[in-house]
């Protein structure tokens, strides 16, 4: 009985140590996510459970996004890179579901070890218009992070989510559009063979008017397209 008691205590201690290691890994992944991600304040609490689909297209998108997140470690382990494009008019929950994917993948990553022994899954979510501002802020002498460091993280993370693809282009002058296209090309080219998610108001055909041909070809090299239809939640005041 005494030996059984000791064995039970050892098992409890081992389980507690394992859970503490998982939590520590989770905090590290979350810190990495928070450091490099740019998420609008309204999406901070976004998750699968508080997304309320209003029609069949949104229900399908919810199910597909949830399945994508749940299968992410398996696909990463098998080097099966699959991108997502979530497109449709504003206010239908594209960004909401993209953030929900990020959160779930980070959670699953807290217990994941890659074949090379690296622990965890790195995720970054960037709102493209805000990224432009963040990159330009690194040009200041007092910046504590460099443009190259940010770009390196965007190129190498396990899952990158680019929010509002296309929209930022319209806000730039000709010189700004050229610079942004060059930056996007660097990112999309480096991410060939990696998992990337995009949200966009323009549909796939319209996107050709917003990004260069080279970027467009890299985005659509291996991607699953989800179309959102319906009336904006923001107009209803319920999202």
């Amino acid at each position: 009985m005494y030996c059984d008691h000791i064995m039970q205590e050892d098992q409890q201690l081992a389980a507690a140590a394992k859970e503490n290691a998982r939590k520590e890994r989770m905090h590290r992944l979350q810190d990495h996510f928070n450091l490099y991600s740019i998420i609008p304040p309204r999406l901070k609490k976004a998750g699968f459970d508080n997304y309320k689909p209003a029609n069949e297209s949104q229900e399908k998108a919810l199910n597909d996004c949830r399945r994508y997140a749940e299968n992410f470690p398996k696909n990463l382990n098998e080097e099966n890179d699959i991108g997502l494009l979530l497109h449709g008019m504003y206010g239908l929950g594209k960004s909401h579901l993209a953030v929900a994917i990020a959160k779930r993948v980070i959670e699953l990553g807290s217990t994941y070890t890659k074949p090379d022994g690296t622990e965890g899954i790195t995720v970054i979510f960037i709102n493209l218009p805000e990224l432009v501002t963040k990159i330009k802020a690194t040009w200041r002498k007092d910046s504590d992070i460099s443009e190259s460091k940010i770009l390196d993280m965007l190129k190498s993370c396990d899952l990158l989510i680019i929010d509002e693809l296309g929209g930022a282009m319209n806000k730039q002058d000709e010189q700004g559009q050229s610079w942004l296209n060059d930056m996007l090309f660097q990112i999309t080219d480096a991410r060939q063979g990696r998992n990337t998610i995009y949200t966009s108001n323009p549909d796939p055909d319209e996107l050709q008017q917003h990004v260069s041909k080279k970027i467009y070809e890299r985005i659509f090299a291996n991607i699953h397209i989800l179309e959102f239809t319906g009336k904006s939640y923001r107009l209803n005041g319920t999202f």
Side-chain angles (χ1 to χ4, degrees):
M1 292 293 294
Y2 179 75
C3 290
D4 290 343
H5 179 69
I6 295 297
M7 182 181 298
Q8 185 178 14
E9 284 188 344
D10 287 345
Q11 290 173 343
Q12 291 173 345
L13 289 172
K18 184 177 181 180
E19 177 60 14
N20 288 336
R22 185 197 68 79
K23 289 180 178 179
E24 183 178 344
R25 193 182 304 177
M26 178 76 171
H27 288 314
R28 188 175 70 251
L29 294 172
Q30 190 65 54
D31 287 344
H32 180 277
F33 178 75
N34 292 337
L35 177 61
Y36 293 104
S37 295
I38 308 171
I39 301 179
R42 63 184 174 80
L43 295 174
K44 293 292 185 180
K45 296 182 179 180
F48 289 125
D49 291 341
N50 59 10
Y51 178 75
K52 307 300 181 184
N55 57 42
E56 186 176 341
S57 75
Q58 294 172 26
E59 183 73 40
K60 180 180 185 304
L62 171 61
N63 292 335
D64 285 358
C65 288
R66 192 191 295 272
R67 184 165 57 250
Y68 181 92
E70 295 296 333
N71 290 332
F72 192 87
K74 175 177 178 291
N75 287 329
L76 190 63
N77 196 53
E78 296 175 355
E79 298 185 350
N80 183 21
D81 63 297
I82 303 172
L84 289 180
L85 172 65
L86 284 55
H87 78 89
M89 71 173 288
Y90 67 90
L92 298 183
K94 303 182 301 294
S95 301
H96 182 117
L97 287 180
V99 170
I101 291 173
K103 289 180 177 179
R104 181 55 178 155
V105 169
I106 289 174
E107 184 179 358
L108 292 171
S110 66
T111 59
Y112 177 79
T113 301
K114 299 175 188 174
D116 65 2
T118 305
E119 296 180 335
I121 298 174
T122 53
V123 183
I124 297 177
F125 179 105
I126 57 166
N127 176 276
L128 193 54
E130 293 298 325
L131 175 63
V132 174
T133 302
K134 186 166 184 172
I135 289 291
K136 289 182 177 179
T138 67
W139 300 345
R140 300 197 312 262
K141 291 183 178 180
D142 62 345
S143 175
D144 57 358
I145 190 170
S146 67
E147 176 182 349
S148 62
K149 181 65 173 178
I150 292 176
L151 290 178
D152 285 345
M153 292 299 101
L154 299 182
K155 293 173 183 178
S156 63
C157 63
D158 296 314
L159 174 61
L160 174 63
I161 301 172
I162 298 180
D163 189 39
E164 292 193 38
L165 178 67
M169 302 297 186
N170 294 333
K171 300 177 182 180
Q172 307 294 317
D173 56 25
E174 185 174 339
Q175 183 177 2
Q177 286 183 349
S178 176
W179 169 76
L180 187 52
N181 262 291
D182 178 64
M183 181 179 68
L184 277 176
F185 174 73
Q186 290 183 51
I187 295 170
T188 55
D189 187 56
R191 293 199 62 79
Q192 297 302 289
R194 297 181 183 273
N195 299 274
T196 310
I197 296 174
Y198 306 88
T199 78
S200 171
N201 291 341
D203 65 31
D205 290 336
E206 294 172 331
L207 270 177
Q208 297 184 70
Q209 304 170 21
H210 296 268
V211 299
S212 69
K213 183 179 178 181
K214 293 188 297 184
I215 295 172
Y216 187 87
E217 290 174 346
R218 282 157 177 77
I219 289 173
F220 287 90
N222 186 20
I223 202 164
H224 179 62
I225 299 173
L226 294 176
E227 181 181 11
F228 288 64
T229 62
K231 184 178 179 181
S232 170
Y233 287 93
R234 296 178 206 168
L235 296 179
N236 293 338
T238 59
F239 192 71

